[in-house]
Amino acid sequence: MLLFLSVPHPRPPGARTRAGATRVARWRRQRLRLQQLRRLRGLLRGLRRRPGAGSRRRGRMALCGQTAGAASLPSELIVHIFSFLPAPDRLRASASCSHWRECLFYPALWPQLRICLRVSPTEQPRLEFLMRKCGWFVRELRVEFFAENYLSGGGGPGEGGGADTRTGGDEVEALQLSSPWLEVLRTYLELVLCVLLSIRNNRNLQKFSLFGDISVLQQQGSLSNTYLSKVDPDGKKIKQIQQLFEEILSNSRQLKWLSCGFMLEIVTPTSLSSLSNSVANTMEHLSLLDNNIPGSSTLITAVELERFRLSLLVHNVSVMHKSLDNMPNDEHWKALSRKSTSLRVYIMAFDVKSEDMLKILKPSIPLERIHFDSYVTCVSGAIVDLISRQYDKFLTHFILMNDVIDTSGFPDLSDNRNEDPLVLLAWRCTKLSLLAIHGYTVWAHNLIAIARLRGSDLRVLEVTEESIDFDQGELADQDVDPVHNLIEQVSLGLSQPWHAVMDIESLSVFTEPNRHFYREMQSFSEDI
């Protein structure tokens, strides 16, 4: 008589309960990882036992060889090893053999790609290679272009006595700028084309960010159009760039992040119309900053504005060439806030007059951050008071920068006022966490009041030393050092050590406002 017994396979612990589902999944992953390690151990053991590798040293040499070692590892295992390495180590490891080099650009290894490069012809071959390998599958792409500032001295071939001293100042400057900037713009167009061509058919792209720090062209305004017409007289490359940009927007299916900060000649008033409705409804970040759009039409109409969350740049050059009459009114902002209750707005204003800011600052804007950067036009106390009254529920960051040559004549926002606008700002805006001031007079007793009003919630308080002034009564008191007393009182108010900013060059918000705004804009949208 035969008796058959059925022995059940052992169940992993916790398999019969829902609470053990996570433990079961973890157990299976551990078992799979153990099997992979055993397979790798057996492969290495087999390589050591191959004929011709009699000694341990010869076995090690065979393992390092291309045919015996690196080429024999399966591609999945190489990709798995690469996933634990940072990008520089992956590149070095890929130099082992051609098989490893083929595994280097496996899509799972490069979900995001961040490139920072100078606008130089030497960068083009490397950019072309990298974009050809990763452009068709990368999900997050961020490219930053940086060009040398030839107006700041050094780098221009016309400098150093090469120009004719009998010519006028404008002609000398033109001679110094002509050759280097023609080459910069020519290379800039080629690099932008390279990036756009490589991702034109990438339907998996979720984040796309371009930043072009062509600072001299931005400051000179019409100078860029003059040089672009010399580099691209027929406008073929410019049109190709704009068409490729619209093609990328129309082909995208998962795009949630779109940023073109300070890029020249890439955005048109019709660019956003290329987005599909499904992508437009899921867009989380949009930044299309371009000061070179001709005509008086606004870049974003009220209908398009309702789809997106925006960081806004207001430049005096843009205001001069564009009308503010077609800006979204307060009703549009109310509708947008009702549709997206988590909407927050970040505004940066370069040298914008107070009367123009009054047209832009609508009461229903959920303004969270605002940055004023001035070289000629100063912000008035009325604008600061308006901001503190309209945006007291949202404002967290307030930056006030004024780059003036005469440091003895900083404007005083509290002139002819009973209360200082900055103190009222700290009192009304209960969520204020960052306050940075340079180029405006800040009285010591007002600075102490600001620290006491906001306390430890004001995490960053940056005020330059030359911006701080003292009352005559404070200076006349021989028993108290006014500077030491200011530092002590502000530190007590903030519940942390505090000192005035001694070196203005250490603040990137002052030395590089374009780049500061770009980086703050990125972090601002990521926080949302």
Side-chain angles (χ1 to χ4, degrees):
M1 181 177 182
L2 298 177
L3 180 63
F4 294 93
L5 296 177
S6 176
V7 180
H9 293 284
R11 290 178 177 268
R16 293 188 178 184
T17 63
R18 291 187 177 181
T22 304
R23 293 194 298 271
V24 171
R26 188 185 303 114
W27 177 78
R28 288 175 177 172
R29 288 195 300 268
Q30 292 175 353
R31 186 177 64 177
L32 179 61
R33 191 175 302 167
L34 182 61
Q35 291 176 354
Q36 292 177 347
L37 291 176
R38 288 175 178 173
R39 191 182 304 117
L40 176 62
R41 188 181 302 169
L43 177 62
L44 295 178
R45 189 182 297 112
L47 291 174
R48 292 192 184 100
R49 294 175 179 175
R50 283 190 175 188
S55 65
R56 183 181 299 271
R57 182 177 180 182
R58 290 177 62 189
R60 290 177 180 174
M61 293 176 61
L63 181 62
C64 297
Q66 180 175 356
T67 57
S72 301
L73 295 177
S75 301
E76 294 80 5
L77 185 57
I78 297 175
V79 172
H80 184 67
I81 294 173
F82 279 173
S83 65
F84 295 98
L85 300 178
D89 292 340
R90 291 180 200 169
L91 295 175
R92 283 190 287 267
S94 64
S96 301
C97 63
S98 60
H99 181 44
W100 283 41
R101 195 155 49 248
E102 293 174 358
C103 299
L104 174 64
F105 293 102
Y106 191 79
L109 296 175
W110 303 93
Q112 60 181 6
L113 188 61
R114 297 186 179 185
I115 306 172
C116 179
L117 69 163
R118 293 181 300 107
V119 181
S120 171
T122 58
E123 301 283 356
Q124 187 170 351
R126 287 178 285 187
L127 179 65
E128 290 178 350
F129 171 80
L130 194 58
M131 296 308 302
R132 185 173 63 252
K133 291 290 186 179
C134 301
W136 61 277
F137 63 78
V138 65
R139 293 180 178 272
E140 299 181 14
L141 177 62
R142 180 180 296 181
V143 184
E144 300 182 9
F145 300 102
F146 298 103
E148 297 179 5
N149 190 337
Y150 292 101
L151 287 180
S152 61
E159 299 182 39
D164 188 358
T165 57
R166 293 173 297 177
T167 60
D170 295 340
E171 295 179 0
V172 173
E173 184 179 7
L175 289 174
Q176 292 176 346
L177 281 172
S178 177
S179 178
W181 273 112
L182 285 176
E183 185 63 28
V184 165
L185 284 177
R186 187 178 294 108
T187 307
Y188 164 80
L189 295 179
E190 293 295 335
L191 295 179
V192 174
L193 279 173
C194 173
V195 173
L196 297 182
L197 283 170
S198 64
I199 63 172
R200 63 191 302 181
N201 296 319
N202 186 347
R203 294 178 177 267
N204 297 322
L205 191 65
Q206 297 179 1
K207 287 188 176 183
F208 180 42
S209 177
L210 287 175
F211 175 74
D213 187 14
I214 314 295
S215 57
V216 173
L217 301 180
Q218 295 292 331
Q219 295 172 5
Q220 297 295 330
S222 61
L223 182 66
S224 60
N225 295 329
T226 303
Y227 281 82
L228 282 175
S229 63
K230 294 180 180 180
V231 174
D232 188 25
D234 299 331
K236 293 182 178 180
K237 289 186 177 179
I238 297 297
K239 292 179 181 178
Q240 185 181 3
I241 288 175
Q242 294 172 353
Q243 291 174 357
L244 284 172
F245 184 72
E246 294 184 1
E247 185 178 348
I248 292 170
L249 298 186
S250 61
N251 290 336
S252 62
R253 294 295 179 267
Q254 304 181 37
L255 192 64
K256 296 181 179 180
W257 183 294
L258 179 61
S259 174
C260 296
F262 302 95
M263 299 297 293
L264 296 176
E265 300 294 344
I266 189 172
V267 182
T268 66
T270 60
S271 297
L272 293 182
S273 60
S274 303
L275 283 172
S276 62
N277 290 332
S278 59
V279 173
N281 291 330
T282 58
M283 185 73 70
E284 297 177 357
H285 172 87
L286 174 67
S287 174
L288 303 178
L289 306 179
D290 192 337
N291 293 332
N292 295 275
I293 298 178
S296 59
S297 60
T298 56
L299 178 61
I300 300 175
T301 64
V303 177
E304 291 169 338
L305 182 62
E306 294 180 359
R307 302 179 183 176
F308 306 106
R309 301 177 183 181
L310 292 175
S311 296
L312 305 176
L313 172 70
V314 186
H315 200 289
N316 63 333
V317 177
S318 300
V319 174
M320 287 188 297
H321 293 87
K322 298 178 184 179
S323 172
L324 294 176
D325 297 334
N326 295 327
M327 288 289 294
N329 55 37
D330 196 53
E331 293 300 323
H332 292 133
W333 284 107
K334 287 181 180 179
L336 180 60
S337 299
R338 286 194 300 266
K339 185 176 182 180
S340 179
T341 56
S342 61
L343 174 67
R344 298 295 180 266
V345 177
Y346 178 20
I347 295 180
M348 183 173 186
F350 281 103
D351 260 332
V352 181
K353 297 179 181 179
S354 297
E355 53 267 27
D356 293 327
M357 287 303 302
L358 291 175
K359 298 179 181 179
I360 297 171
L361 296 175
K362 306 300 182 183
S364 299
I365 297 178
L367 184 64
E368 184 174 289
R369 304 185 184 190
I370 189 164
H371 178 178
F372 290 101
D373 202 294
S374 305
Y375 297 91
V376 179
T377 305
C378 296
V379 177
S380 65
I383 293 296
V384 179
D385 186 65
L386 177 70
I387 292 172
S388 66
R389 284 188 285 105
Q390 290 189 166
Y391 313 116
D392 56 314
K393 297 180 180 179
F394 303 103
L395 192 68
T396 62
H397 290 56
F398 187 82
I399 300 176
L400 200 58
M401 293 288 164
N402 183 28
D403 185 15
V404 293
I405 299 177
D406 186 9
T407 57
S408 63
F410 285 162
D412 186 2
L413 298 177
S414 61
D415 280 347
N416 302 321
R417 290 176 176 271
N418 295 327
E419 297 291 342
D420 184 87
L422 294 174
V423 177
L424 291 176
L425 181 81
W427 175 55
R428 291 167 176 163
C429 301
T430 57
K431 295 183 179 181
L432 189 67
S433 61
L434 184 146
L435 179 62
I437 304 172
H438 169 71
Y440 293 86
T441 300
V442 182
W443 295 99
H445 61 273
N446 290 332
L447 193 58
I448 295 174
I450 292 172
R452 290 175 177 175
L453 283 169
R454 292 275 53 87
S456 58
D457 293 335
L458 187 60
R459 295 192 298 270
V460 179
L461 178 60
E462 294 180 341
V463 182
T464 55
E465 183 189 25
E466 57 265 37
S467 301
I468 302 174
D469 204 349
F470 296 88
D471 290 333
Q472 293 299 325
E474 295 174 330
L475 296 175
D477 191 354
Q478 301 294 331
D479 298 331
V480 178
D481 181 5
V483 176
H484 177 75
N485 181 67
L486 172 66
I487 295 175
E488 182 181 4
Q489 294 300 323
V490 174
S491 299
L492 287 174
L494 298 177
S495 301
Q496 61 178 342
W498 178 87
H499 292 278
V501 178
M502 307 296 292
D503 184 15
I504 188 62
E505 298 298 329
S506 63
L507 294 179
S508 63
V509 63
F510 178 79
T511 57
E512 299 173 319
N514 285 2
R515 194 177 303 178
H516 174 84
F517 174 65
Y518 168 75
R519 292 173 179 173
E520 286 296 308
M521 179 181 61
Q522 303 283 332
S523 63
F524 169 65
S525 293
E526 288 173 355
D527 291 341
I528 289 181

